[in-house]
Amino acid sequence: MPSFGPADLTRRDMLKTSGKLAAAVVASQLVLPKAYASEDNTIDLALVGCGGRGSGAVADAFSSNAGPVKLKAMADVFDSKLSSSYNALNARHGDHVDVPPERKFIGLDAYKEAMDCLKPGDIVILTTPPAFRAVQFEYAIEKGLNVFMEKPVTVDGPTSKKMLELAEKASEKNLKCAVGLMCRHSPARGELFNRIQDGEIGDLNLLRAYRMHGPVGSAFVDPFTGGMSEVLFQIANFHGFLWASGGCFSDFYIHNIDECCWMKNDWPVKAQASGGRHYRGDYVDQNFDNYSVEYTFADGAKMYLYGRTMPNVKQEFATYVHGSKGCAVVSENGHFPAKARTYSGQSFDKSKLIWQYPETEGNPYQFEWAHLIDAVRNDKPYNEVPRGVKSSLTTSMGRMAAHTGQEITADEMLNCEHEFAPGLKDLKADGPAPVQMTENGKYPIPAPGLKGKREY
């Protein structure tokens, strides 16, 4: 079992996301090498999970200018989502879409039928709720498919161990696996990382991440009133259920946490946190309204994460780091442009500016696809899953600390026996839901101080 240790990041890894590489990848696309996927250079895609992120991933693949790519199959548990996704993609990218009715699949096992439409070496896009990642990744490996999967890739300890085992199997079969932490592919952040590692702002001792805004995604869930099974209700509102997504915390805060760990070039060893529900009213989800987490690295450095989903309050979506000689902006207002820059001192004073990224940054969502397809076409080793597991588990560690009121170490998180949704391979749409409604029509919520071993 791989250990949950320091970040597996080298200077060579970071050069993959530098501005020079981004330009080189674009240039290399003018002359396409022999395809790894098929003789005619076309890489076929199957989309499993047709929500907004899945549709966006397909569009990013089409827009990456990485050679001929075609969508061949689609799968979802909701026909309405599949139809909406297909109509939007076909309207905008019709030349890249070849999905007749017989290659559109609905149901909890539809992922198998979609993957069965591909050839070994093609790419399956896994953008269902994170709970299903391990089940679907395992089938992709059996089929010999390269994989793009969205983050987070795990939501608890047992599935993290399972995903690490599957990642090893994927590497043994020489499969290329990407994880949707696209900020790792930002040229601006890559250059900032290099400067931090070169000591431009000294040793990092404080990192600050903020994602504070109004209600987001399906994190606020209205009471269940029927019209579908309870299983499908929970899947439709997956941001509201810890088993399905790790909740709002894991699905949304992971980006800021991950880019902090990247800049530190390490992973925290423990976390303590607070948070609570204040204005949930009749909502039945399992989320808190706000979270404050203190992560600690092995060298004593601190990383603070502030998350809040409330209307009519201060909003901030940014990441900052502080070193012994200066400070840096990692991201200023969302995922891109990052507007990365460094300063002497700690005040972000314009007069103290050392460096700022001088070029147009480009779209990291497209860069991550350019890098994946480049690895597929040129048969380069490429597996982001182990790092994705570490990032997901670090995120879960902070979430569990807030939900239990306990200090949680990385080892405790990895070895926590609470698997949120065991037996997902056998989940039935009309069967019992992974989390059961209580007598008052709501679902179990975290209770710090009352439930110290489990999150619910």
Side-chain angles (χ1 to χ4, degrees):
M1 174 63 61
S3 64
F4 182 72
D8 300 318
L9 301 172
T10 66
R11 191 166 185 80
R12 183 176 62 181
D13 293 330
M14 292 310 102
L15 287 174
K16 291 180 180 178
T17 57
S18 69
K20 289 183 178 179
L21 178 71
V25 169
V26 172
S28 71
Q29 291 154 8
L30 298 177
V31 179
L32 295 174
K34 181 179 179 180
Y36 178 72
S38 62
E39 293 181 359
D40 67 355
N41 270 346
T42 298
I43 295 176
D44 289 335
L45 309 176
L47 174 61
V48 178
C50 300
R53 186 74 282 274
S55 301
V58 174
D60 293 328
F62 293 160
S63 302
S64 65
N65 297 318
V69 176
K70 183 160 287 191
L71 181 64
K72 297 288 285 189
M74 302 175 73
D76 202 281
V77 295
F78 298 106
D79 181 71
S80 59
K81 282 190 176 292
L82 191 154
S83 297
S84 177
S85 175
Y86 171 80
N87 291 338
L89 289 168
N90 193 51
R92 293 183 56 194
H93 308 281
D95 291 345
H96 297 283
V97 177
D98 179 18
V99 189
E102 61 269 23
R103 291 204 292 270
K104 297 175 182 176
F105 306 101
I106 302 298
L108 287 170
D109 288 331
Y111 69 93
K112 295 180 180 179
E113 297 171 289
M115 289 192 223
D116 290 345
C117 295
L118 300 182
K119 306 174 296 299
D122 285 332
I123 301 176
V124 61
I125 301 172
L126 303 181
T127 46
T128 57
F132 299 98
R133 203 70 77 236
V135 171
Q136 295 167 357
F137 186 33
E138 185 172 28
Y139 192 73
I141 294 171
E142 291 176 10
K143 300 293 292 185
L145 300 175
N146 301 304
V147 178
F148 174 89
M149 64 180 73
E150 256 307 329
K151 54 70 207 165
V153 301
T154 69
V155 298
D156 56 36
T159 55
S160 295
K161 289 183 176 181
K162 177 66 172 178
M163 284 294 287
L164 289 172
E165 293 172 355
L166 291 173
E168 288 188 353
K169 292 181 180 179
S171 292
E172 289 169 2
K173 295 187 70 170
N174 194 31
L175 299 177
K176 321 306 175 186
C177 303
V179 172
L181 292 167
M182 69 289 167
C183 293
R184 292 271 184 159
H185 298 263
S186 160
R189 290 176 178 85
E191 177 61 24
L192 175 62
F193 172 87
N194 289 337
R195 288 174 174 271
I196 290 173
Q197 300 312 304
D198 286 341
E200 188 164 292
I201 61 172
D203 296 329
L204 291 192
N205 46 50
L206 172 63
L207 305 95
R208 300 183 288 124
Y210 302 82
R211 185 149 185 181
M212 304 189 300
H213 44 55
V216 63
S218 56
F220 284 64
V221 182
D222 290 314
F224 177 55
T225 58
M228 65 177 72
S229 72
E230 194 173 1
V231 169
L232 294 181
F233 169 75
Q234 292 182 16
I235 293 173
N237 296 281
F238 67 98
H239 292 132
F241 295 95
L242 294 175
W243 75 266
S245 64
C248 175
F249 192 106
S250 285
D251 209 277
F252 291 99
Y253 302 160
I254 187 172
H255 286 294
N256 298 76
I257 292 169
D258 182 66
E259 65 184 8
C260 277
C261 295
W262 179 16
M263 296 302 139
K264 179 63 177 171
N265 199 19
D266 203 357
W267 304 99
V269 296
K270 63 181 180 179
Q272 63 176 355
S274 62
R277 292 167 68 94
H278 308 289
Y279 306 110
R280 305 305 280 192
D282 292 331
Y283 293 117
V284 300
D285 57 84
Q286 297 179 290
N287 291 307
F288 282 176
D289 294 294
N290 66 286
Y291 294 90
S292 299
V293 184
E294 177 193 80
Y295 288 98
T296 302
F297 292 90
D299 65 0
K302 301 292 185 179
M303 175 174 75
Y304 293 97
L305 180 280
Y306 300 94
R308 183 169 62 195
T309 50
M310 294 181 182
N312 305 315
V313 295
K314 172 181 165 58
Q315 298 191 9
E316 187 166 10
F317 187 173
T319 301
Y320 312 97
V321 297
H322 298 261
S324 56
K325 298 192 299 183
C327 58
V329 174
V330 182
S331 59
E332 184 176 69
N333 185 23
H335 297 313
F336 80 99
K339 299 183 180 179
R341 51 195 188 273
T342 60
Y343 298 84
S344 60
Q346 304 297 329
S347 65
F348 299 99
D349 189 319
K350 290 183 179 179
S351 66
K352 304 294 185 179
L353 181 70
I354 300 173
W355 164 87
Q356 61 183 354
Y357 190 70
E359 305 171 31
T360 301
E361 293 188 26
N363 185 337
Y365 288 97
Q366 294 177 5
F367 284 140
E368 68 180 348
W369 270 98
H371 295 154
L372 171 60
I373 295 178
D374 176 61
V376 171
R377 293 193 182 282
N378 293 289
D379 196 17
K380 299 177 180 178
Y382 198 91
N383 192 344
E384 295 185 320
V385 174
R387 192 190 71 213
V389 172
K390 292 176 183 179
S391 184
S392 300
L393 198 62
T394 297
T395 303
S396 294
M397 179 170 65
R399 186 199 67 224
M400 185 175 182
H403 285 170
T404 62
Q406 307 299 313
E407 181 179 85
I408 305 297
T409 68
D411 286 339
E412 288 171 341
M413 188 68 241
L414 180 62
N415 293 301
C416 179
E417 296 180 353
H418 184 194
E419 184 173 358
F420 290 176
L424 280 183
K425 274 187 178 181
D426 301 318
L427 185 68
K428 306 297 183 185
D430 58 355
V435 62
Q436 296 294 302
M437 189 183 300
T438 60
E439 292 181 359
N440 64 1
K442 296 188 176 182
Y443 293 92
I445 60 173
L450 299 179
K451 301 174 185 176
K453 299 295 185 181
R454 293 165 62 102
E455 294 185 54
Y456 61 94

